[in-house]
Amino acid sequence: MILQLLVLIHTIQSFLVPICFVCAWAFMSAIAWSLWTAVRDGVETSKRLHQIPCSHCQYFTGDYRLKCTVQPSIASTEAAVDCLDYQPKTNPLLY
């Protein structure tokens, strides 16, 4: 009985090393892929959010209670990218 168990363990060990090797590399590849997609999505989101012109608009107040006097519901959101009421600040020292 013990001899059969030892033979079984020895047989399993010969397959266990390649299986663990493949599993370890698959796990590392999954982590690398996850990090890559997170960075890629973060860069895309950052590019999209940097297109929001609100902080350079003359109607932007900078107050958290009322960010914009014309379009307060879309101020500083992605909906404000193509805002029709956008007017660039002519003199930023006055606003």
Side-chain angles (χ1 to χ4, degrees):
M1 178 73 175
I2 294 178
L3 184 61
Q4 291 174 346
L5 185 60
L6 290 174
V7 170
L8 180 64
I9 290 174
H10 183 66
T11 306
I12 290 174
Q13 282 180 344
S14 64
F15 293 109
L16 196 58
V17 171
I19 290 171
C20 287
F21 179 77
V22 169
C23 288
W25 275 106
F27 181 69
M28 294 302 290
S29 298
I31 289 175
W33 181 258
S34 176
L35 288 173
W36 168 252
T37 56
V39 168
R40 184 189 64 204
D41 293 345
V43 167
E44 289 175 5
T45 302
S46 178
K47 284 181 182 179
R48 202 170 48 240
L49 292 178
H50 275 87
Q51 294 176 350
I52 299 173
C54 291
S55 62
H56 304 293
C57 181
Q58 70 179 0
Y59 302 118
F60 187 72
T61 63
D63 187 5
Y64 71 94
R65 294 170 291 196
L66 181 64
K67 295 178 184 175
C68 178
T69 57
V70 179
Q71 295 281 348
S73 61
I74 66 168
S76 298
T77 64
E78 290 184 43
V81 170
D82 295 322
C83 182
L84 298 175
D85 296 317
Y86 172 74
Q87 292 294 322
K89 291 181 181 179
T90 54
N91 188 353
L93 298 175
L94 296 177
Y95 301 107

